[in-house]
Amino acid sequence: MALVEAKELTKNYIAGEITVAAIRGMNFSISPASFVSFIGPSGSGKTTLLNMIGCLESPTAGVLTVAGQDVSRMNSRESAKFRGTHIGFIFQDFNLIPVLTVFENIEYPLLMVQNWPMQERKQRVEQLLAAVGMHDQGYKYPHQISGGQKQRVAVARALVTRAELVLADEPTANLDRETALHIIALMKAMRDEFGTTFIFSTHDPKIVSNAETVFTLEDGLLVASDTVGGFHG
Ligand code: ADP
Ligand code: MG
């Protein structure tokens, strides 16, 4: 069964007299444990699409299924609960909480979801810190680490609840090329280790070489789907 399935997915923004057709009837399907990139120029619809998959915005028309649930018709309380249990987010500007340490930033989603016992939280956070190569940095604050390290922390935070789907909208936009490639490789390694599906977007064709499936967007349309296999990892 597909983890994400879109059928004639459509999103219009209406601003006064003007309607912007941001997503114009898309059909695609994403399997569990896959590593997928949406690519396309600025304004092509990447953020709108990821926001719909992440249940942050609802479609105007069409059907969108995530983890077996029709998310197009959820109310805001249902979609908040759904996000909390199924989806992790990675942001382009990292979005770490400045007054919390690296350890506490990663722990944060566990405190939101359920009452995890402290010892289990510690174990889980330490496992993720090690997985992203930050095991000895947990005591630091976000201002004491580099941009690439901040994004590593954000990857760990997105994975800490074992969400089956992680969405990352231009996660490398604020990183230099080499660091960007490291973050993409890290996300893929996390997919391999935890079986998490990663969907990221980028406008930079040069950082998609690790993606197994690349969907190309142009002006709200899906114009190409390329599956290259896992040969680049
Ligand atoms: P991308 O992320 O690829 O740059 P977006 O999804 O942000 O593209 O935007 C797709 C289109 O939808 C653009 O024409 C953009 O101007 C429009 N758009 C996005 N968000 C809104 C909004 N909240 N209100 C009106 N138009 C929007
Ligand atoms: Mg965008």
Side-chain angles (χ1 to χ4, degrees):
M1 197 181 67
L3 182 65
V4 180
E5 188 159 46
K7 287 191 179 138
E8 293 303 321
L9 184 63
T10 302
K11 178 71 178 181
N12 297 326
Y13 290 109
I14 296 160
E17 312 255 287
I18 299 163
T19 299
V20 178
I23 301 292
R24 301 192 284 156
M26 281 191 192
N27 296 286
F28 60 83
S29 162
I30 293 171
S31 309
S34 53
F35 198 68
V36 175
S37 178
F38 284 95
I39 184 166
S42 185
S44 59
K46 303 181 298 296
T47 295
T48 303
L49 190 56
L50 262 63
N51 285 349
M52 287 195 286
I53 297 172
C55 307
L56 296 164
E57 290 185 53
S58 42
T60 306
V63 178
L64 181 61
T65 311
V66 180
Q69 295 197 50
D70 180 357
V71 299
S72 30
R73 274 158 258 290
M74 281 182 184
N75 65 34
S76 62
R77 199 180 51 81
E78 291 166 335
S79 59
K81 183 160 181 256
F82 184 81
R83 281 197 301 275
T85 42
H86 294 278
I87 304 176
F89 293 90
I90 297 171
F91 302 92
Q92 124 180 1
D93 51 2
F94 321 125
N95 278 19
L96 301 184
I97 300 169
V99 298
L100 299 183
T101 63
V102 162
F103 184 101
E104 290 163 345
N105 266 280
I106 299 171
E107 184 185 34
Y108 192 75
L110 295 179
L111 298 170
M112 295 293 98
V113 183
Q114 308 125 347
N115 282 327
W116 280 58
M118 189 175 69
Q119 205 48 37
E120 282 177 37
R121 290 203 308 269
K122 186 164 181 280
Q123 244 173 29
R124 182 65 73 86
V125 173
E126 279 171 357
Q127 178 197 22
L128 265 308
L129 271 172
V132 302
M134 297 280 291
H135 61 282
D136 53 355
Q137 314 279 315
Y139 65 93
K140 290 189 178 166
Y141 286 88
H143 76 271
Q144 297 173 308
I145 60 177
S146 69
Q149 288 176 320
K150 283 180 193 153
Q151 204 56 311
R152 284 174 179 272
V153 174
V155 170
R157 181 183 56 185
L159 289 166
V160 78
T161 61
R162 304 245 165 100
E164 63 239 79
L165 175 61
V166 170
L167 299 172
D169 190 11
E170 305 212 28
T172 60
N174 291 322
L175 301 173
D176 62 68
R177 167 60 44 87
E178 196 188 339
T179 309
L181 289 169
H182 279 129
I183 289 298
I184 298 294
L186 172 68
M187 295 198 303
K188 191 170 189 194
M190 296 298 95
R191 187 287 306 268
D192 293 345
E193 185 165 348
F194 298 106
T196 316
T197 294
F198 278 83
I199 302 177
F200 66 99
S201 79
T202 180
H203 61 260
D204 184 351
K206 293 180 205 70
I207 70 158
V208 302
S209 63
N210 270 294
E212 291 160 359
T213 301
V214 179
F215 291 114
T216 306
L217 304 193
E218 231 175 75
D219 200 17
L221 294 171
L222 186 60
V223 295
S225 315
D226 301 294
T227 297
V228 295
F231 304 125
H232 300 268

